[in-house]
Amino acid sequence: MKQLKHSKIYLLFFLLQLFVLVGFNKQKQLPIFGSNWNTLQTTKATSPMKKANLEPFVYREMPPIDYKFEGKVIVINPGHQKNPDNELEAIAPGSNRKKAKVSIGTRGRISQVPEYAINLLVAKKLKALLVKQGYRVILTRESNEVDISNKERTLLANQNHADLLLHIHCNGSNNEKLTGSLAMCPTADSPYCSKIYEPSKKLCELILAQLDQTLQVKNNGVLETDFMTGINYSKVPVCFLELGYLTNQKEEQKLIDSSYQDELANGIAKGIKSYFIYRTYGK
């Protein structure tokens, strides 16, 4: 009888341990890292990891509590201006190739809203978001009535030792069916700024990925070029971002809408955040 009594006690103790263990595992959330850099995701301990092969890197959780954005300097250039400056300037240091210092850009096919106005509105919305997050943000222009060349705007980022330079633009084409965002960066063998190729391309990829994820904007990818003044003079990581096509009627209606501009600014801010997290933890 004593042996039977002891067996019952051991069985009861075993079942109690099993109940606690199973209950704990059902509730526990384990942080795990994806196979690409530090793509931090949270999933149940018993479920398979999802989107571990996500390209490019997108940081999906808040940064570590000790991560600081303070001190990060971002220069945002709202492309173009109200009045063009057709005087020529070299497209790169030491280059014999020249083009106009600055143009007025494209405009809405139906609304006729000028690109330069949209660029500035989005830039100001983006600045407000970034300042709240602790960044120091410099706009190359605060109004449309300025006269600042593309070279001068880029040199402003160098002079302020910026952590990144972002050019904001809208696209245009004779083909009114074209839609989507794209970004430009230097080429890997650029004779002017090859040293910033890798971080610039990563910055472009991460911003485009967040715009796609946040707004379902068609991602037309990253174009590598040595023909853009705003890229060639940069000594800091640079992204030349085209938000969408003003020559496509549906996309035009979005781009001129204030709420959509808010969403664009939010998506870009998330991309910038992903970039700094990647630069800190992703290598």
Side-chain angles (χ1 to χ4, degrees):
M1 291 297 292
K2 273 188 177 182
Q3 187 174 6
L4 181 60
K5 184 176 180 180
H6 282 248
S7 298
K8 287 182 179 180
I9 292 173
Y10 291 143
L11 178 61
L12 181 60
F13 180 75
F14 172 78
L15 290 174
L16 180 60
Q17 280 190 315
L18 183 63
F19 174 79
V20 171
L21 183 61
V22 171
F24 175 77
N25 281 338
K26 281 185 176 181
Q27 297 298 323
K28 189 176 182 181
Q29 301 289 315
L30 295 182
I32 58 177
F33 289 89
S35 59
N36 289 312
W37 306 294
N38 292 347
T39 307
L40 182 61
Q41 302 180 21
T42 301
T43 185
K44 291 183 179 179
T46 54
S47 66
M49 183 169 63
K50 296 180 180 179
K51 296 183 180 179
N53 61 343
L54 181 67
E55 288 286 353
F57 168 89
V58 178
Y59 193 87
R60 297 194 170 279
E61 299 292 331
M62 290 296 290
I65 193 167
D66 60 342
Y67 187 83
K68 303 295 183 183
F69 291 114
E70 286 82 356
K72 299 294 185 184
V73 179
I74 299 174
V75 172
I76 303 173
N77 172 41
H80 305 290
Q81 59 192 35
K82 185 175 182 180
N83 299 305
D85 185 347
N86 294 319
E87 186 178 342
L88 300 180
E89 68 180 3
I91 66 166
S95 175
N96 292 323
R97 301 184 70 175
K98 297 182 178 182
K99 61 181 180 180
K101 285 186 173 181
V102 63
S103 67
I104 62 172
T106 188
R107 61 178 59 244
R109 188 169 70 89
I110 304 299
S111 68
Q112 293 298 299
V113 174
E115 176 194 350
Y116 63 78
I118 298 172
N119 297 342
L120 183 57
L121 288 170
V122 174
K124 286 184 173 181
K125 291 172 184 287
L126 176 59
K127 177 182 178 180
L129 286 175
L130 295 175
V131 167
K132 286 182 179 179
Q133 295 176 21
Y135 300 97
R136 178 184 169 219
V137 183
I138 301 169
L139 295 185
T140 60
R141 65 181 179 94
E142 298 276 358
S143 74
N144 294 316
E145 290 78 16
V146 297
D147 188 10
I148 311 172
S149 77
N150 291 320
K151 175 183 175 180
E152 290 170 332
R153 298 174 191 222
T154 306
L155 293 179
L156 183 65
N158 298 340
Q159 293 161 2
N160 283 277
H161 306 287
D163 291 282
L164 67 85
L165 167 61
L166 175 65
H167 298 280
I168 294 180
H169 285 257
C170 297
N171 222 334
S173 173
N174 291 328
N175 182 353
E176 62 187 47
K177 293 182 179 180
L178 292 180
T179 63
S181 60
L182 66 85
M184 287 177 270
C185 74
T187 61
D189 56 353
S190 167
Y192 316 114
C193 52
S194 60
K195 290 182 179 179
I196 62 169
Y197 164 71
E198 289 188 7
S200 296
K201 186 174 182 181
K202 185 58 60 180
L203 174 63
C204 290
E205 289 175 341
L206 292 172
I207 290 177
L208 289 176
Q210 284 293 356
L211 287 177
D212 183 14
Q213 188 175 70
T214 304
L215 295 170
Q216 287 74 56
V217 174
K218 180 184 177 184
N219 185 345
N220 290 315
V222 180
L223 174 65
E224 300 176 9
T225 177
D226 294 327
F227 191 66
M228 303 300 292
T229 308
I231 293 176
N232 295 335
Y233 281 95
S234 185
K235 293 181 179 180
V236 305
V238 57
C239 172
F240 195 105
L241 179 64
E242 299 278 5
L243 299 173
Y245 283 84
L246 279 171
T247 45
N248 175 272
Q249 186 173 354
K250 288 185 178 180
E251 206 150 81
E252 173 192 2
Q253 291 304 309
K254 292 180 179 179
L255 289 167
I256 64 176
D257 180 75
S258 180
S259 296
Y260 186 75
Q261 292 167 7
D262 289 334
E263 293 178 27
L264 284 170
N266 186 47
I268 297 169
K270 287 181 178 179
I272 290 173
K273 176 179 173 180
S274 294
Y275 169 76
F276 284 121
I277 295 296
Y278 165 73
R279 293 284 287 174
T280 305
Y281 300 103
K283 291 184 179 181

